[in-house]
Amino acid sequence: MNGGHNRLRLVRAGIDTYQEPVVYMHRDCDVCRAEGFTALTRVLVHSGGRELVATLNVVTDDRFGLDVAALSEAAWNALQPAPEAWAVFSHPEPPASAPALRAKVFGHRLGEADFLGLMRDTVDNRLSDIELAAFVTACAGGRLDHDETIGLTRAMIAVGQRITWGGGPVLDKHCVGGLPGNRTTPIVVAIVAAAGHRIPKTSSRAITSPAGTADTMEVMAPVTLDLATMRRVVEREGGCVVWGGNVRLSPADDVLIRVGRPLDFDSDGQLVASVLSKKAAAGSSHVLIDIPVGPTAKVRSEDAADLLEARLLATAHALDLTLSVLRTDGRQPVGFGIGPALEARDVLSVLRGDAGAPPDLRERALDVAAALLDIAPGAAPGQGKATARSLLDSGAALRKFLAICEAQGGFSEPSMSAHSQPVLAARSGVVQGIDNRRLANIAKLAGAPRSASAGIDCRLRLGGAIQAGEPLFHVHARSPGELEYALEYAAEHPDIFAIAATP
Amino acid sequence: MNGGHNRLRLVRAGIDTYQEPVVYMHRDCDVCRAEGFTALTRVLVHSGGRELVATLNVVTDDRFGLDVAALSEAAWNALQPAPEAWAVFSHPEPPASAPALRAKVFGHRLGEADFLGLMRDTVDNRLSDIELAAFVTACAGGRLDHDETIGLTRAMIAVGQRITWGGGPVLDKHCVGGLPGNRTTPIVVAIVAAAGHRIPKTSSRAITSPAGTADTMEVMAPVTLDLATMRRVVEREGGCVVWGGNVRLSPADDVLIRVGRPLDFDSDGQLVASVLSKKAAAGSSHVLIDIPVGPTAKVRSEDAADLLEARLLATAHALDLTLSVLRTDGRQPVGFGIGPALEARDVLSVLRGDAGAPPDLRERALDVAAALLDIAPGAAPGQGKATARSLLDSGAALRKFLAICEAQGGFSEPSMSAHSQPVLAARSGVVQGIDNRRLANIAKLAGAPRSASAGIDCRLRLGGAIQAGEPLFHVHARSPGELEYALEYAAEHPDIFAIAATP
């Protein structure tokens, strides 16, 4: 057709397959016939000096033509073909890391070189989603030991870029999550940066929760910054809160999170590798980890927290990071809002010192900022809390936060959703327990984090009294369909708030 | 747009995504906006009394229009919409079996009800490929115990149809596989049916091998029969060799095989459930299992064979099946050909009594047929071999085989490939070992089983002498690209035949 061997012209399919690169070829095209490609074959695409492994979908009608290969958005963005570009198609080599994957599934320990091969193939898209799902599964349920965790962490760091900040300490914090609404990060970053420290915070989007810090921050300022812009923000303001996925710190972790998200498995080893690979890649030297502990939080018991803490400390030691752990109350949500915009509203009201600001979010943010200030080099231990409170109450933290938002591209006030409805208490009494997971499910069903304004507004706390017919919480959604869907789930689970009648 | 709620008109996308149903919707269509659907959302499609869970791909150009949802081939075939049909789209409920999946991944034992929920969701397409991959992984590496294996087997049987044959024994055989070219089944079925027994054999297509029995049989006769046609064939001729996937015996197993194929994990529990669910669903009462044992076969040691045999016997007992195991030599290929057409050629030459027929394939088929005849009710033990040999040598088995082919839709002579090239020995000596897995890889890279005529022709056996420059084997392929690809792999692995110099 064009004189070449296994060549087709590239066009944009106009189909969004999320992060998975897909190539669409006609069933009868020369390439399919010569190479024996059929649906779901993995194909190697070479074009203009770039290459990409993509999944083949076979086109059976005349939509695209016989001499054309159409690329999904992910494939198009990865290859960035010139206008009228051609590509050469072939069978990719089997992934070099397949034997390591198989070994892990069969319960063998992996070494650092094995993990390096797996993470290299992960970022190069040499492993299919099915293979990645197998890897995530094989690492779940305590199947990574200490040394493997260190190996996986080092491998994740090695396949991404690593920021260097010149001399001086670089502070960072991370919350293990699982606690709806617990959005201390923007407040902590503002306080710590206002104290004169460097705190270049990269955050993730939601994995299995209704909002990640990046989702919440994005309601108030752009978070999709490239590395150079992030560096300028931190050099100017001392701190930032940006989406880690865009600066490609630990890009392998981002892929594992994408595949792991629908599975909703937690794994200590993968969790530690995820958190610490990002911290090391961000150039951090002093890290505080907040572990909320509670029956429906991510970490459910002090025993589980002990195991996780030991894993974190051993891995940090191997990476030469100073790390401290703060355990916090994980029995109930923190702040009123659950969902990006509702949480952003709470963050701003704490920073602004509003009389109606959620007191638990304020106290939690002060505790975390204090613990981080206390491990910074040159700190007078125990002084962190007073410093943090003074920076918050003086308005210095608010000014710093707004300056960071401006540096990231401009501050926006969060806007609220169009559709809202209360869920009412069926009985009167006192709140004895809160099922955080189911509460988070309602926020997710309402559309969070996809719809920034969706979620839950909940002011009821453990020990609080309520009368039958009063609202337990309000559900917010962008569309009536999502609102209805979330309310149905709430109706099916009337026990999210355990309410005992008062005597 | 049409007065309805969340409705779109259905069109055929003309895109083959293999078995995964995909629905294509415009990013700005009412349904995406109202329901908050984004790429890879799983959506419930209702149309004309049928429903289906599909994966959403978001269309970003004007290819299909705003009031239209386009269906991939798998989705179109599942829903079979009337012309101009509309569908209603909504969020599916989370799969009911998600907690059981999670429990298994975290190492908990599952009960029969858990497996039933998982297999029900599997056949109803309620589990995504990522979730299915997690399930396959969680069951690999000895993570299913005896009782779980029985539970999984019963669950697989329960979610499919089950054939009843009226009174009398129903014989069946299965080879655990892993041995290239070991295509005894068509010969065994012909002998056993010629002996007057009922043997309704359903076979699978290749999972991780260059050919499954269904792939090989398809070269000689149609194998994609529905249940009613299969029943007519067996009632007329006593036996058949059809593709099990089409009669939907144990359809859950077919889905697990599709997802498991690229992973290439073996699991005793899943293997036993796969084999015995199909046997029970086929209405079999007396089953012979052939286990080839060898260092590069699927079962690599007598110890591994012991474990598998115990698992098979315990599960068969629970299902009320009479089961016997025959262990065979799994050190080297059986027959000359590896690949559908090349194996079919060997099968026919054995049945025809050709002087050049592969003697090992003939002996192996006689052994398996004999062992099966010996466990049939009313057999005089030890007489099976003589009976089998007499039916083969008299031509009765050949006549029966051709009659079965005719009943299945008509016999065809296998046709050979256009492209073939030898791989030459680098040194002279005697064959000490054969790497069956790498040999099979070459056949797969040459295009088998996708290209029926692709594969390997290999007459060299353990203990055989060869001179440097003589062919070790010939590679056959449908296209020059595939031939080249297979030859490259062969050149990179010159040690597939371990050749020791003669003293």
Side-chain angles (χ1 to χ4, degrees):
Chain A
M1 190 128 336
N2 57 81
H5 180 59
N6 286 344
R7 295 174 74 221
L8 293 171
R9 194 162 51 80
L10 295 178
V11 300
R12 193 165 183 163
I15 295 177
D16 178 5
T17 54
Y18 197 51
Q19 290 180 13
E20 188 182 15
V22 173
V23 55
Y24 303 86
M25 267 183 222
H26 197 283
R27 154 173 70 182
D28 298 325
C29 74
D30 286 351
V31 173
C32 278
R33 291 195 300 142
E35 292 288 321
F37 289 157
T38 53
L40 299 201
T41 303
R42 290 177 67 73
V43 297
L44 183 63
V45 192
H46 276 277
S47 181
R50 295 176 198 248
E51 69 171 45
L52 171 75
V53 177
T55 301
L56 180 69
N57 279 194
V58 170
V59 178
T60 55
D61 65 13
D62 296 332
R63 197 171 306 285
F64 297 115
L66 280 173
D67 59 346
V68 155
L71 302 180
S72 74
E73 294 299 283
W76 186 266
N77 294 334
L79 274 180
Q80 302 184 350
E84 300 294 309
W86 296 75
V88 176
F89 296 87
S90 57
H91 292 270
E93 298 289 316
S97 61
L101 169 59
R102 188 183 178 82
K104 188 67 211 158
V105 169
F106 281 77
H108 302 294
R109 295 187 62 255
L110 297 188
E112 200 169 320
D114 298 318
F115 285 114
L116 191 60
L118 282 160
M119 292 304 100
R120 177 69 62 200
D121 282 343
T122 297
V123 294
D124 289 348
N125 192 41
R126 299 248 167 204
L127 295 172
S128 68
D129 281 5
I130 283 179
E131 288 163 323
L132 289 166
F135 178 70
V136 168
T137 304
C139 295
R143 293 204 186 90
L144 288 179
D145 68 18
H146 274 284
D147 286 345
E148 286 181 293
T149 303
I150 293 168
L152 176 60
T153 310
R154 287 201 167 120
M156 284 183 174
I157 297 168
V159 300
Q161 29 185 345
R162 189 162 183 171
I163 312 179
T164 50
W165 293 100
V170 178
L171 278 56
D172 211 339
K173 62 84 63 179
H174 180 83
C175 177
V176 165
L179 203 54
N182 188 17
R183 201 58 56 209
T184 58
T185 294
I187 307 170
V188 171
V189 167
I191 292 171
V192 171
H197 289 291
R198 188 156 49 187
I199 181 164
K201 181 80 183 81
T202 64
S203 294
S204 56
R205 298 191 183 276
I207 302 175
T208 57
S209 70
T213 294
D215 301 309
T216 297
M217 185 70 185
E218 195 168 36
V219 175
M220 300 177 281
V223 296
T224 307
L225 273 54
D226 60 23
L227 200 48
T229 312
M230 170 180 163
R231 185 182 284 281
R232 278 199 301 277
V233 172
V234 174
E235 281 167 358
R236 195 167 105 188
E237 300 297 344
C240 69
V241 183
V242 305
W243 175 42
N246 198 59
V247 293
R248 301 267 298 166
L249 297 174
S250 200
D253 181 46
D254 294 336
V255 176
L256 295 184
I257 284 172
R258 169 178 67 82
V259 174
R261 182 193 304 235
L263 292 173
D264 201 4
F265 301 153
D266 295 328
S267 144
D268 268 10
Q270 207 189 317
L271 174 64
V272 168
S274 171
V275 171
L276 295 190
S277 68
K278 284 204 151 60
K279 298 305 169 210
S284 307
S285 59
H286 293 74
V287 178
L288 181 84
I289 306 289
D290 172 8
I291 305 184
V293 182
T296 58
K298 183 171 279 183
V299 177
R300 302 195 186 196
S301 68
E302 293 296 336
D303 285 352
D306 287 347
L307 289 173
L308 179 58
E309 180 166 343
R311 186 67 62 99
L312 281 163
L313 289 169
T315 308
H317 182 74
L319 299 173
D320 237 351
L321 288 174
T322 300
L323 184 140
S324 177
V325 168
L326 177 72
R327 296 196 194 178
T328 53
D329 178 359
R331 294 173 303 150
Q332 57 183 336
V334 178
F336 302 142
I338 301 171
L342 291 157
E343 293 173 15
R345 178 203 61 188
D346 288 353
V347 164
L348 288 169
S349 71
V350 168
L351 284 168
R352 286 168 174 158
D354 291 346
D360 55 347
L361 179 64
R362 175 187 154 90
E363 279 313 304
R364 186 72 64 109
L366 286 172
D367 286 345
V368 173
L372 185 52
L373 290 172
D374 279 345
I375 61 164
Q383 292 303 302
K385 189 73 178 270
T387 307
R389 187 178 291 117
S390 129
L391 290 165
L392 183 58
D393 290 343
S394 70
L398 173 64
R399 286 190 297 278
K400 177 54 77 178
F401 182 73
L402 294 173
I404 288 170
C405 288
E406 283 308 316
Q408 289 189 195
F411 171 76
S412 311
E413 221 26 82
S415 62
M416 295 295 114
S417 66
H419 303 275
S420 164
Q421 205 167 305
V423 171
L424 306 180
R427 56 194 291 193
S428 304
V430 171
V431 179
Q432 307 287 325
I434 301 176
D435 187 331
N436 295 319
R437 285 170 189 257
R438 291 209 156 129
L439 201 58
N441 279 349
I442 295 178
K444 288 195 281 182
L445 293 173
R450 213 174 43 237
S451 306
S453 61
I456 282 176
D457 199 357
C458 171
R459 283 147 204 258
L460 204 55
R461 287 293 175 270
L462 290 173
I466 188 161
Q467 297 296 318
E470 287 181 349
L472 292 163
F473 53 86
H474 286 74
V475 180
H476 294 251
R478 192 178 56 173
S479 71
E482 288 170 305
L483 185 61
E484 187 182 340
Y485 195 54
L487 290 169
E488 269 172 26
Y489 182 90
E492 284 163 13
H493 297 95
D495 49 351
I496 291 173
F497 284 77
I499 294 175
T502 42
Chain B
M1 187 130 335
N2 57 82
H5 179 58
N6 286 344
R7 293 175 74 221
L8 294 172
R9 195 162 50 79
L10 295 179
V11 300
R12 193 165 184 164
I15 295 177
D16 178 5
T17 53
Y18 197 50
Q19 291 180 12
E20 188 183 13
V22 173
V23 55
Y24 303 86
M25 265 183 223
H26 197 284
R27 154 173 70 181
D28 299 325
C29 74
D30 286 350
V31 174
C32 278
R33 291 194 300 143
E35 293 288 321
F37 289 157
T38 54
L40 299 200
T41 302
R42 291 178 65 73
V43 297
L44 183 63
V45 193
H46 277 277
S47 181
R50 296 176 197 248
E51 70 172 44
L52 172 75
V53 178
T55 300
L56 181 69
N57 279 195
V58 170
V59 179
T60 54
D61 65 13
D62 296 332
R63 197 171 306 287
F64 297 116
L66 280 173
D67 58 346
V68 155
L71 302 180
S72 75
E73 294 298 285
W76 185 267
N77 294 335
L79 274 181
Q80 301 183 353
E84 301 294 309
W86 295 75
V88 176
F89 296 86
S90 57
H91 292 270
E93 297 288 316
S97 61
L101 170 59
R102 187 182 178 84
K104 188 67 210 158
V105 169
F106 280 77
H108 301 293
R109 294 186 64 255
L110 297 188
E112 200 170 321
D114 298 319
F115 284 115
L116 191 60
L118 281 160
M119 293 303 100
R120 176 69 61 200
D121 281 343
T122 297
V123 294
D124 289 347
N125 192 41
R126 299 247 168 207
L127 295 172
S128 68
D129 280 4
I130 283 180
E131 288 163 324
L132 290 165
F135 179 70
V136 168
T137 304
C139 295
R143 293 206 185 90
L144 288 179
D145 68 17
H146 274 283
D147 286 344
E148 286 181 293
T149 303
I150 293 167
L152 176 59
T153 310
R154 287 201 166 121
M156 282 183 174
I157 297 167
V159 300
Q161 28 186 346
R162 190 163 183 170
I163 312 178
T164 49
W165 294 100
V170 178
L171 278 55
D172 212 339
K173 62 85 63 180
H174 180 83
C175 177
V176 165
L179 204 53
N182 188 18
R183 201 57 57 208
T184 57
T185 293
I187 307 171
V188 171
V189 167
I191 293 171
V192 171
H197 289 291
R198 187 157 48 187
I199 180 164
K201 181 81 183 82
T202 63
S203 294
S204 56
R205 299 192 182 277
I207 302 174
T208 57
S209 71
T213 294
D215 301 308
T216 297
M217 185 70 185
E218 194 169 35
V219 175
M220 301 178 280
V223 296
T224 308
L225 274 54
D226 61 22
L227 201 48
T229 312
M230 171 180 163
R231 183 182 285 281
R232 279 199 301 276
V233 172
V234 175
E235 281 167 357
R236 195 166 105 188
E237 299 299 342
C240 68
V241 184
V242 304
W243 175 43
N246 199 58
V247 292
R248 301 267 298 168
L249 297 174
S250 200
D253 182 46
D254 294 336
V255 175
L256 295 184
I257 284 172
R258 169 178 69 81
V259 174
R261 183 193 303 235
L263 291 173
D264 200 4
F265 301 151
D266 295 328
S267 144
D268 268 11
Q270 207 189 315
L271 175 65
V272 168
S274 171
V275 171
L276 295 190
S277 68
K278 285 206 151 58
K279 298 305 169 211
S284 306
S285 59
H286 294 73
V287 179
L288 181 84
I289 306 289
D290 172 9
I291 305 184
V293 182
T296 58
K298 184 171 279 185
V299 178
R300 302 194 186 197
S301 67
E302 293 297 336
D303 284 352
D306 288 346
L307 289 173
L308 179 58
E309 180 166 342
R311 185 68 61 99
L312 281 163
L313 289 169
T315 309
H317 181 74
L319 298 173
D320 236 351
L321 288 174
T322 300
L323 183 139
S324 177
V325 168
L326 178 72
R327 295 195 195 180
T328 53
D329 178 0
R331 294 174 303 151
Q332 56 183 336
V334 177
F336 303 142
I338 301 170
L342 291 158
E343 294 173 14
R345 178 202 62 188
D346 288 352
V347 163
L348 288 168
S349 70
V350 168
L351 284 167
R352 285 166 175 159
D354 292 345
D360 55 347
L361 179 63
R362 174 187 154 91
E363 279 313 304
R364 185 73 64 108
L366 286 172
D367 286 345
V368 173
L372 186 52
L373 290 171
D374 279 345
I375 61 164
Q383 291 303 301
K385 188 74 176 267
T387 307
R389 187 179 289 117
S390 128
L391 290 165
L392 183 58
D393 290 344
S394 70
L398 174 64
R399 287 191 296 278
K400 177 53 76 180
F401 182 74
L402 294 173
I404 288 170
C405 288
E406 283 309 318
Q408 289 190 195
F411 171 76
S412 311
E413 216 35 78
S415 63
M416 295 296 116
S417 67
H419 303 274
S420 162
Q421 204 166 305
V423 171
L424 306 179
R427 56 192 294 191
S428 305
V430 171
V431 179
Q432 307 288 325
I434 301 177
D435 187 332
N436 294 319
R437 284 169 190 256
R438 292 211 155 126
L439 202 59
N441 279 349
I442 296 178
K444 288 194 281 181
L445 293 173
R450 211 174 44 238
S451 306
S453 62
I456 282 176
D457 199 359
C458 172
R459 282 144 206 261
L460 204 54
R461 287 292 175 271
L462 290 174
I466 188 160
Q467 296 296 316
E470 287 181 352
L472 292 164
F473 53 87
H474 286 74
V475 180
H476 294 250
R478 191 179 56 171
S479 71
E482 288 169 305
L483 185 61
E484 186 184 339
Y485 194 53
L487 290 170
E488 267 170 30
Y489 182 90
E492 284 162 14
H493 297 96
D495 50 350
I496 291 175
F497 285 77
I499 295 175
T502 42

